[in-house]
mmCIF file of all heavy atoms in Angstrom:
data_model
loop_
_atom_site.group_PDB
_atom_site.id
_atom_site.type_symbol
_atom_site.label_atom_id
_atom_site.label_comp_id
_atom_site.label_asym_id
_atom_site.label_seq_id
_atom_site.Cartn_x
_atom_site.Cartn_y
_atom_site.Cartn_z
ATOM 1 N N ASP A 1 24.886 -15.900 -6.974
ATOM 2 C CA ASP A 1 24.508 -17.285 -7.160
ATOM 3 C C ASP A 1 25.097 -18.063 -5.965
ATOM 4 O O ASP A 1 26.251 -18.427 -5.964
ATOM 5 C CB ASP A 1 25.053 -17.839 -8.458
ATOM 6 C CG ASP A 1 24.543 -19.247 -8.787
ATOM 7 O OD1 ASP A 1 24.159 -19.954 -7.839
ATOM 8 O OD2 ASP A 1 24.534 -19.599 -9.973
ATOM 9 N N ASN A 2 24.269 -18.317 -4.960
ATOM 10 C CA ASN A 2 24.756 -18.988 -3.735
ATOM 11 C C ASN A 2 25.162 -20.410 -4.014
ATOM 12 O O ASN A 2 26.058 -20.942 -3.355
ATOM 13 C CB ASN A 2 23.713 -18.931 -2.673
ATOM 14 C CG ASN A 2 23.582 -17.560 -2.008
ATOM 15 O OD1 ASN A 2 24.586 -16.810 -1.954
ATOM 16 N ND2 ASN A 2 22.401 -17.201 -1.557
ATOM 17 N N ALA A 3 24.546 -21.069 -5.014
ATOM 18 C CA ALA A 3 24.923 -22.441 -5.362
ATOM 19 C C ALA A 3 26.342 -22.533 -5.907
ATOM 20 O O ALA A 3 26.990 -23.568 -5.770
ATOM 21 C CB ALA A 3 23.925 -23.007 -6.339
ATOM 22 N N LYS A 4 26.794 -21.438 -6.520
ATOM 23 C CA LYS A 4 28.132 -21.431 -7.108
ATOM 24 C C LYS A 4 29.123 -20.596 -6.318
ATOM 25 O O LYS A 4 30.251 -20.428 -6.710
ATOM 26 C CB LYS A 4 28.048 -20.854 -8.539
ATOM 27 C CG LYS A 4 27.277 -21.726 -9.509
ATOM 28 C CD LYS A 4 27.276 -21.158 -10.905
ATOM 29 C CE LYS A 4 26.549 -22.055 -11.882
ATOM 30 N NZ LYS A 4 26.566 -21.518 -13.276
ATOM 31 N N ASN A 5 28.658 -20.099 -5.149
ATOM 32 C CA ASN A 5 29.557 -19.284 -4.298
ATOM 33 C C ASN A 5 30.171 -18.119 -5.089
ATOM 34 O O ASN A 5 31.321 -17.752 -4.875
ATOM 35 C CB ASN A 5 30.657 -20.112 -3.659
ATOM 36 C CG ASN A 5 30.215 -20.902 -2.490
ATOM 37 O OD1 ASN A 5 29.003 -21.030 -2.241
ATOM 38 N ND2 ASN A 5 31.139 -21.505 -1.756
ATOM 39 N N THR A 6 29.384 -17.511 -5.940
ATOM 40 C CA THR A 6 29.873 -16.485 -6.841
ATOM 41 C C THR A 6 28.893 -15.314 -6.947
ATOM 42 O O THR A 6 27.704 -15.517 -6.982
ATOM 43 C CB THR A 6 30.125 -17.066 -8.254
ATOM 44 O OG1 THR A 6 31.024 -18.160 -8.165
ATOM 45 C CG2 THR A 6 30.727 -16.024 -9.166
ATOM 46 N N THR A 7 29.499 -14.137 -6.955
ATOM 47 C CA THR A 7 28.739 -12.906 -7.216
ATOM 48 C C THR A 7 29.210 -12.332 -8.545
ATOM 49 O O THR A 7 30.401 -12.421 -8.861
ATOM 50 C CB THR A 7 28.953 -11.884 -6.091
ATOM 51 O OG1 THR A 7 28.582 -12.471 -4.854
ATOM 52 C CG2 THR A 7 28.147 -10.624 -6.329
ATOM 53 N N TYR A 8 28.288 -11.713 -9.293
ATOM 54 C CA TYR A 8 28.628 -11.180 -10.597
ATOM 55 C C TYR A 8 28.306 -9.693 -10.630
ATOM 56 O O TYR A 8 27.408 -9.202 -9.951
ATOM 57 C CB TYR A 8 27.805 -11.878 -11.702
ATOM 58 C CG TYR A 8 27.968 -13.384 -11.715
ATOM 59 C CD1 TYR A 8 27.047 -14.213 -11.105
ATOM 60 C CD2 TYR A 8 29.068 -13.962 -12.314
ATOM 61 C CE1 TYR A 8 27.189 -15.574 -11.094
ATOM 62 C CE2 TYR A 8 29.237 -15.321 -12.372
ATOM 63 C CZ TYR A 8 28.313 -16.152 -11.740
ATOM 64 O OH TYR A 8 28.455 -17.508 -11.764
ATOM 65 N N LEU A 9 29.032 -8.988 -11.477
ATOM 66 C CA LEU A 9 28.759 -7.587 -11.763
ATOM 67 C C LEU A 9 28.775 -7.438 -13.276
ATOM 68 O O LEU A 9 29.838 -7.568 -13.901
ATOM 69 C CB LEU A 9 29.776 -6.664 -11.125
ATOM 70 C CG LEU A 9 29.449 -5.161 -11.259
ATOM 71 C CD1 LEU A 9 28.177 -4.796 -10.475
ATOM 72 C CD2 LEU A 9 30.601 -4.297 -10.793
ATOM 73 N N GLN A 10 27.607 -7.227 -13.866
ATOM 74 C CA GLN A 10 27.461 -7.033 -15.292
ATOM 75 C C GLN A 10 27.668 -5.570 -15.599
ATOM 76 O O GLN A 10 26.912 -4.721 -15.082
ATOM 77 C CB GLN A 10 26.107 -7.509 -15.762
ATOM 78 C CG GLN A 10 25.861 -7.343 -17.247
ATOM 79 C CD GLN A 10 26.719 -8.233 -18.127
ATOM 80 O OE1 GLN A 10 26.940 -9.421 -17.759
ATOM 81 N NE2 GLN A 10 27.236 -7.708 -19.235
ATOM 82 N N LEU A 11 28.605 -5.254 -16.420
ATOM 83 C CA LEU A 11 28.922 -3.857 -16.799
ATOM 84 C C LEU A 11 28.540 -3.643 -18.234
ATOM 85 O O LEU A 11 29.140 -4.192 -19.148
ATOM 86 C CB LEU A 11 30.425 -3.591 -16.632
ATOM 87 C CG LEU A 11 31.048 -3.462 -15.262
ATOM 88 C CD1 LEU A 11 30.919 -4.735 -14.419
ATOM 89 C CD2 LEU A 11 32.502 -3.077 -15.340
ATOM 90 N N ASN A 12 27.513 -2.826 -18.457
ATOM 91 C CA ASN A 12 27.044 -2.501 -19.800
ATOM 92 C C ASN A 12 27.228 -1.010 -20.108
ATOM 93 O O ASN A 12 27.414 -0.231 -19.165
ATOM 94 C CB ASN A 12 25.586 -2.873 -19.978
ATOM 95 C CG ASN A 12 25.319 -4.374 -19.872
ATOM 96 O OD1 ASN A 12 26.168 -5.188 -20.181
ATOM 97 N ND2 ASN A 12 24.134 -4.710 -19.408
ATOM 98 N N SER A 13 27.218 -0.681 -21.372
ATOM 99 C CA SER A 13 27.286 0.745 -21.783
ATOM 100 C C SER A 13 28.451 1.447 -21.088
ATOM 101 O O SER A 13 28.268 2.550 -20.535
ATOM 102 C CB SER A 13 25.969 1.447 -21.470
ATOM 103 O OG SER A 13 24.893 0.822 -22.120
ATOM 104 N N GLN A 14 29.584 0.828 -21.124
ATOM 105 C CA GLN A 14 30.705 1.369 -20.352
ATOM 106 C C GLN A 14 31.259 2.665 -20.919
ATOM 107 O O GLN A 14 31.201 2.929 -22.137
ATOM 108 C CB GLN A 14 31.814 0.317 -20.229
ATOM 109 C CG GLN A 14 31.372 -0.821 -19.340
ATOM 110 C CD GLN A 14 32.509 -1.784 -19.057
ATOM 111 O OE1 GLN A 14 32.593 -2.835 -19.690
ATOM 112 N NE2 GLN A 14 33.391 -1.413 -18.155
ATOM 113 N N LYS A 15 31.768 3.465 -19.966
ATOM 114 C CA LYS A 15 32.322 4.760 -20.293
ATOM 115 C C LYS A 15 33.795 4.818 -19.871
ATOM 116 O O LYS A 15 34.199 4.048 -18.974
ATOM 117 C CB LYS A 15 31.555 5.865 -19.553
ATOM 118 C CG LYS A 15 30.042 5.837 -19.785
ATOM 119 C CD LYS A 15 29.365 6.871 -18.898
ATOM 120 C CE LYS A 15 27.863 6.849 -19.089
ATOM 121 N NZ LYS A 15 27.180 7.859 -18.245
ATOM 122 N N PRO A 16 34.581 5.689 -20.459
ATOM 123 C CA PRO A 16 35.973 5.803 -20.044
ATOM 124 C C PRO A 16 36.137 6.026 -18.525
ATOM 125 O O PRO A 16 37.094 5.531 -17.927
ATOM 126 C CB PRO A 16 36.510 6.979 -20.873
ATOM 127 C CG PRO A 16 35.681 6.943 -22.091
ATOM 128 C CD PRO A 16 34.292 6.539 -21.657
ATOM 129 N N GLU A 17 35.214 6.728 -17.957
ATOM 130 C CA GLU A 17 35.303 7.009 -16.511
ATOM 131 C C GLU A 17 34.989 5.784 -15.622
ATOM 132 O O GLU A 17 35.125 5.857 -14.409
ATOM 133 C CB GLU A 17 34.353 8.161 -16.109
ATOM 134 C CG GLU A 17 32.944 8.031 -16.562
ATOM 135 C CD GLU A 17 32.660 8.744 -17.842
ATOM 136 O OE1 GLU A 17 33.527 8.711 -18.772
ATOM 137 O OE2 GLU A 17 31.567 9.370 -17.970
ATOM 138 N N ASP A 18 34.634 4.665 -16.236
ATOM 139 C CA ASP A 18 34.485 3.430 -15.519
ATOM 140 C C ASP A 18 35.792 2.709 -15.325
ATOM 141 O O ASP A 18 35.866 1.694 -14.617
ATOM 142 C CB ASP A 18 33.516 2.483 -16.238
ATOM 143 C CG ASP A 18 32.081 3.005 -16.291
ATOM 144 O OD1 ASP A 18 31.668 3.646 -15.312
ATOM 145 O OD2 ASP A 18 31.414 2.759 -17.301
ATOM 146 N N THR A 19 36.852 3.214 -15.948
ATOM 147 C CA THR A 19 38.154 2.621 -15.828
ATOM 148 C C THR A 19 38.639 2.657 -14.370
ATOM 149 O O THR A 19 38.682 3.722 -13.751
ATOM 150 C CB THR A 19 39.176 3.362 -16.710
ATOM 151 O OG1 THR A 19 38.806 3.184 -18.082
ATOM 152 C CG2 THR A 19 40.590 2.819 -16.481
ATOM 153 N N ALA A 20 38.968 1.468 -13.840
ATOM 154 C CA ALA A 20 39.348 1.387 -12.433
ATOM 155 C C ALA A 20 39.699 -0.079 -12.117
ATOM 156 O O ALA A 20 39.471 -0.961 -12.934
ATOM 157 C CB ALA A 20 38.205 1.829 -11.510
ATOM 158 N N ILE A 21 40.257 -0.255 -10.951
ATOM 159 C CA ILE A 21 40.363 -1.621 -10.393
ATOM 160 C C ILE A 21 39.062 -1.870 -9.630
ATOM 161 O O ILE A 21 38.648 -1.053 -8.778
ATOM 162 C CB ILE A 21 41.563 -1.761 -9.459
ATOM 163 C CG1 ILE A 21 42.855 -1.486 -10.232
ATOM 164 C CG2 ILE A 21 41.596 -3.165 -8.839
ATOM 165 C CD1 ILE A 21 44.108 -1.473 -9.366
ATOM 166 N N TYR A 22 38.423 -2.985 -9.928
ATOM 167 C CA TYR A 22 37.166 -3.354 -9.273
ATOM 168 C C TYR A 22 37.405 -4.454 -8.226
ATOM 169 O O TYR A 22 38.063 -5.447 -8.517
ATOM 170 C CB TYR A 22 36.183 -3.884 -10.329
ATOM 171 C CG TYR A 22 35.581 -2.758 -11.131
ATOM 172 C CD1 TYR A 22 36.351 -2.053 -12.083
ATOM 173 C CD2 TYR A 22 34.249 -2.384 -10.982
ATOM 174 C CE1 TYR A 22 35.822 -1.013 -12.793
ATOM 175 C CE2 TYR A 22 33.702 -1.319 -11.717
ATOM 176 C CZ TYR A 22 34.476 -0.658 -12.613
ATOM 177 O OH TYR A 22 33.958 0.392 -13.329
ATOM 178 N N TYR A 23 36.882 -4.215 -7.025
ATOM 179 C CA TYR A 23 37.059 -5.106 -5.911
ATOM 180 C C TYR A 23 35.708 -5.607 -5.414
ATOM 181 O O TYR A 23 34.732 -4.867 -5.383
ATOM 182 C CB TYR A 23 37.717 -4.369 -4.712
ATOM 183 C CG TYR A 23 39.048 -3.781 -4.981
ATOM 184 C CD1 TYR A 23 39.168 -2.474 -5.466
ATOM 185 C CD2 TYR A 23 40.227 -4.500 -4.713
ATOM 186 C CE1 TYR A 23 40.436 -1.922 -5.712
ATOM 187 C CE2 TYR A 23 41.482 -3.967 -4.964
ATOM 188 C CZ TYR A 23 41.553 -2.675 -5.431
ATOM 189 O OH TYR A 23 42.816 -2.135 -5.652
ATOM 190 N N CYS A 24 35.668 -6.858 -5.007
ATOM 191 C CA CYS A 24 34.485 -7.352 -4.298
ATOM 192 C C CYS A 24 34.832 -7.489 -2.824
ATOM 193 O O CYS A 24 35.998 -7.661 -2.436
ATOM 194 C CB CYS A 24 33.978 -8.674 -4.877
ATOM 195 S SG CYS A 24 35.061 -10.103 -4.669
ATOM 196 N N ALA A 25 33.800 -7.418 -2.013
ATOM 197 C CA ALA A 25 33.948 -7.479 -0.565
ATOM 198 C C ALA A 25 32.747 -8.212 0.036
ATOM 199 O O ALA A 25 31.658 -8.215 -0.583
ATOM 200 C CB ALA A 25 34.071 -6.081 0.041
ATOM 201 N N ALA A 26 32.908 -8.816 1.180
ATOM 202 C CA ALA A 26 31.831 -9.605 1.768
ATOM 203 C C ALA A 26 31.782 -9.425 3.290
ATOM 204 O O ALA A 26 32.825 -9.169 3.932
ATOM 205 C CB ALA A 26 31.997 -11.086 1.451
ATOM 206 N N ARG A 27 30.563 -9.548 3.860
ATOM 207 C CA ARG A 27 30.417 -9.618 5.283
ATOM 208 C C ARG A 27 29.119 -10.320 5.651
ATOM 209 O O ARG A 27 28.159 -10.298 4.862
ATOM 210 C CB ARG A 27 30.471 -8.236 5.935
ATOM 211 C CG ARG A 27 29.252 -7.393 5.798
ATOM 212 C CD ARG A 27 29.206 -6.364 6.910
ATOM 213 N NE ARG A 27 28.755 -6.924 8.179
ATOM 214 C CZ ARG A 27 28.932 -6.352 9.360
ATOM 215 N NH1 ARG A 27 29.578 -5.188 9.443
ATOM 216 N NH2 ARG A 27 28.507 -6.923 10.464
ATOM 217 N N THR A 28 29.107 -10.859 6.810
ATOM 218 C CA THR A 28 27.900 -11.502 7.309
ATOM 219 C C THR A 28 27.121 -10.488 8.186
ATOM 220 O O THR A 28 27.613 -9.363 8.403
ATOM 221 C CB THR A 28 28.243 -12.754 8.115
ATOM 222 O OG1 THR A 28 27.039 -13.462 8.453
ATOM 223 C CG2 THR A 28 28.978 -12.382 9.408
ATOM 224 N N GLY A 29 25.982 -10.859 8.640
ATOM 225 C CA GLY A 29 25.215 -9.955 9.482
ATOM 226 C C GLY A 29 24.019 -9.394 8.724
ATOM 227 O O GLY A 29 23.746 -9.729 7.575
ATOM 228 N N VAL A 30 23.322 -8.519 9.413
ATOM 229 C CA VAL A 30 22.095 -7.933 8.863
ATOM 230 C C VAL A 30 22.461 -6.988 7.728
ATOM 231 O O VAL A 30 23.274 -6.066 7.905
ATOM 232 C CB VAL A 30 21.293 -7.177 9.960
ATOM 233 C CG1 VAL A 30 20.065 -6.499 9.348
ATOM 234 C CG2 VAL A 30 20.878 -8.141 11.051
ATOM 235 N N TYR A 31 21.851 -7.189 6.587
ATOM 236 C CA TYR A 31 22.119 -6.382 5.412
ATOM 237 C C TYR A 31 21.242 -5.104 5.465
ATOM 238 O O TYR A 31 20.063 -5.176 5.706
ATOM 239 C CB TYR A 31 21.799 -7.151 4.159
ATOM 240 C CG TYR A 31 21.876 -6.339 2.884
ATOM 241 C CD1 TYR A 31 23.090 -6.058 2.270
ATOM 242 C CD2 TYR A 31 20.717 -5.851 2.277
ATOM 243 C CE1 TYR A 31 23.155 -5.330 1.100
ATOM 244 C CE2 TYR A 31 20.756 -5.122 1.121
ATOM 245 C CZ TYR A 31 21.984 -4.852 0.512
ATOM 246 O OH TYR A 31 22.046 -4.131 -0.631
ATOM 247 N N ASN A 32 21.916 -3.995 5.208
ATOM 248 C CA ASN A 32 21.212 -2.702 5.134
ATOM 249 C C ASN A 32 21.785 -1.993 3.925
ATOM 250 O O ASN A 32 22.991 -1.765 3.849
ATOM 251 C CB ASN A 32 21.451 -1.915 6.418
ATOM 252 C CG ASN A 32 20.802 -0.566 6.374
ATOM 253 O OD1 ASN A 32 21.149 0.293 5.563
ATOM 254 N ND2 ASN A 32 19.868 -0.313 7.277
ATOM 255 N N PRO A 33 20.934 -1.634 2.962
ATOM 256 C CA PRO A 33 21.470 -1.026 1.719
ATOM 257 C C PRO A 33 22.289 0.243 2.000
ATOM 258 O O PRO A 33 23.194 0.588 1.208
ATOM 259 C CB PRO A 33 20.205 -0.712 0.920
ATOM 260 C CG PRO A 33 19.218 -1.698 1.406
ATOM 261 C CD PRO A 33 19.504 -1.876 2.891
ATOM 262 N N SER A 34 21.999 0.922 3.080
ATOM 263 C CA SER A 34 22.765 2.140 3.406
ATOM 264 C C SER A 34 24.177 1.760 3.918
ATOM 265 O O SER A 34 25.166 2.296 3.452
ATOM 266 C CB SER A 34 22.000 2.939 4.476
ATOM 267 O OG SER A 34 22.760 4.100 4.796
ATOM 268 N N ASN A 35 24.196 0.821 4.870
ATOM 269 C CA ASN A 35 25.501 0.382 5.423
ATOM 270 C C ASN A 35 26.369 -0.274 4.344
ATOM 271 O O ASN A 35 27.594 -0.122 4.330
ATOM 272 C CB ASN A 35 25.311 -0.640 6.545
ATOM 273 C CG ASN A 35 24.731 0.053 7.777
ATOM 274 O OD1 ASN A 35 24.821 1.245 7.967
ATOM 275 N ND2 ASN A 35 24.116 -0.763 8.660
ATOM 276 N N ALA A 36 25.710 -0.964 3.401
ATOM 277 C CA ALA A 36 26.460 -1.681 2.361
ATOM 278 C C ALA A 36 27.224 -0.789 1.412
ATOM 279 O O ALA A 36 28.033 -1.267 0.646
ATOM 280 C CB ALA A 36 25.501 -2.585 1.601
ATOM 281 N N ARG A 37 26.930 0.514 1.454
ATOM 282 C CA ARG A 37 27.665 1.466 0.635
ATOM 283 C C ARG A 37 29.006 1.886 1.223
ATOM 284 O O ARG A 37 29.805 2.539 0.565
ATOM 285 C CB ARG A 37 26.811 2.708 0.392
ATOM 286 C CG ARG A 37 25.536 2.442 -0.391
ATOM 287 C CD ARG A 37 24.603 3.654 -0.407
ATOM 288 N NE ARG A 37 23.364 3.357 -1.162
ATOM 289 C CZ ARG A 37 23.212 3.579 -2.445
ATOM 290 N NH1 ARG A 37 24.190 4.147 -3.115
ATOM 291 N NH2 ARG A 37 22.058 3.279 -3.049
ATOM 292 N N ARG A 38 29.220 1.533 2.474
ATOM 293 C CA ARG A 38 30.464 1.924 3.161
ATOM 294 C C ARG A 38 31.518 0.816 3.084
ATOM 295 O O ARG A 38 31.241 -0.306 3.518
ATOM 296 C CB ARG A 38 30.155 2.270 4.608
ATOM 297 C CG ARG A 38 29.236 3.460 4.776
ATOM 298 C CD ARG A 38 29.115 3.868 6.252
ATOM 299 N NE ARG A 38 28.288 2.909 6.984
ATOM 300 C CZ ARG A 38 28.781 2.088 7.916
ATOM 301 N NH1 ARG A 38 30.066 2.079 8.202
ATOM 302 N NH2 ARG A 38 27.968 1.257 8.564
ATOM 303 N N SER A 39 32.709 1.096 2.633
ATOM 304 C CA SER A 39 33.752 0.108 2.520
ATOM 305 C C SER A 39 34.133 -0.442 3.919
ATOM 306 O O SER A 39 34.484 -1.616 4.045
ATOM 307 C CB SER A 39 34.974 0.681 1.817
ATOM 308 O OG SER A 39 35.493 1.792 2.533
ATOM 309 N N SER A 40 34.015 0.390 4.927
ATOM 310 C CA SER A 40 34.379 -0.017 6.299
ATOM 311 C C SER A 40 33.446 -1.085 6.838
ATOM 312 O O SER A 40 33.750 -1.737 7.857
ATOM 313 C CB SER A 40 34.424 1.167 7.228
ATOM 314 O OG SER A 40 33.168 1.789 7.280
ATOM 315 N N TRP A 41 32.271 -1.266 6.248
ATOM 316 C CA TRP A 41 31.303 -2.235 6.736
ATOM 317 C C TRP A 41 31.714 -3.687 6.422
ATOM 318 O O TRP A 41 31.279 -4.593 7.110
ATOM 319 C CB TRP A 41 29.945 -1.942 6.070
ATOM 320 C CG TRP A 41 28.796 -2.744 6.587
ATOM 321 C CD1 TRP A 41 28.179 -2.640 7.803
ATOM 322 C CD2 TRP A 41 28.075 -3.739 5.852
ATOM 323 N NE1 TRP A 41 27.143 -3.543 7.853
ATOM 324 C CE2 TRP A 41 27.038 -4.224 6.688
ATOM 325 C CE3 TRP A 41 28.183 -4.281 4.559
ATOM 326 C CZ2 TRP A 41 26.153 -5.195 6.292
ATOM 327 C CZ3 TRP A 41 27.299 -5.286 4.178
ATOM 328 C CH2 TRP A 41 26.284 -5.716 5.033
ATOM 329 N N TYR A 42 32.577 -3.880 5.465
ATOM 330 C CA TYR A 42 32.908 -5.219 4.990
ATOM 331 C C TYR A 42 34.055 -5.869 5.775
ATOM 332 O O TYR A 42 34.968 -5.190 6.243
ATOM 333 C CB TYR A 42 33.225 -5.151 3.516
ATOM 334 C CG TYR A 42 32.001 -4.815 2.692
ATOM 335 C CD1 TYR A 42 31.657 -3.505 2.432
ATOM 336 C CD2 TYR A 42 31.156 -5.817 2.217
ATOM 337 C CE1 TYR A 42 30.513 -3.198 1.715
ATOM 338 C CE2 TYR A 42 30.014 -5.530 1.519
ATOM 339 C CZ TYR A 42 29.696 -4.201 1.273
ATOM 340 O OH TYR A 42 28.562 -3.908 0.563
ATOM 341 N N GLU A 43 33.999 -7.190 5.845
ATOM 342 C CA GLU A 43 34.992 -7.952 6.562
ATOM 343 C C GLU A 43 36.136 -8.474 5.679
ATOM 344 O O GLU A 43 37.284 -8.577 6.116
ATOM 345 C CB GLU A 43 34.338 -9.153 7.250
ATOM 346 C CG GLU A 43 33.268 -8.828 8.263
ATOM 347 C CD GLU A 43 32.552 -10.057 8.762
ATOM 348 O OE1 GLU A 43 31.634 -10.523 8.052
ATOM 349 O OE2 GLU A 43 32.889 -10.558 9.837
ATOM 350 N N TYR A 44 35.770 -8.881 4.471
ATOM 351 C CA TYR A 44 36.722 -9.547 3.593
ATOM 352 C C TYR A 44 36.763 -8.861 2.236
ATOM 353 O O TYR A 44 35.727 -8.400 1.737
ATOM 354 C CB TYR A 44 36.378 -11.027 3.419
ATOM 355 C CG TYR A 44 36.284 -11.771 4.729
ATOM 356 C CD1 TYR A 44 35.044 -12.130 5.239
ATOM 357 C CD2 TYR A 44 37.428 -12.065 5.475
ATOM 358 C CE1 TYR A 44 34.955 -12.822 6.453
ATOM 359 C CE2 TYR A 44 37.325 -12.744 6.682
ATOM 360 C CZ TYR A 44 36.097 -13.111 7.141
ATOM 361 O OH TYR A 44 35.993 -13.777 8.355
#
């Protein structure tokens, strides 16, 4: 939601293996779904 400067992650049908610390990350530039899977791609 760009108007609220917020990104959401809806987690449904959760499993014990979903237990973890969840982090969000952001970067500017051209978005590519392949690059976006790499943690090193992000700036913040």
Side-chain angles (χ1 to χ4, degrees):
D1 188 336
N2 286 330
K4 296 183 177 180
N5 281 12
T6 302
T7 303
Y8 303 98
L9 185 67
Q10 179 68 40
L11 288 61
N12 295 331
S13 303
Q14 289 187 260
K15 305 174 182 180
E17 52 264 41
D18 294 326
T19 295
I21 299 174
Y22 284 70
Y23 300 90
C24 66
R27 75 157 283 163
T28 188
V30 177
Y31 172 81
N32 178 296
S34 178
N35 290 339
R37 296 172 180 268
R38 296 187 287 109
S39 60
S40 60
W41 187 70
Y42 292 88
E43 299 173 279
Y44 304 106

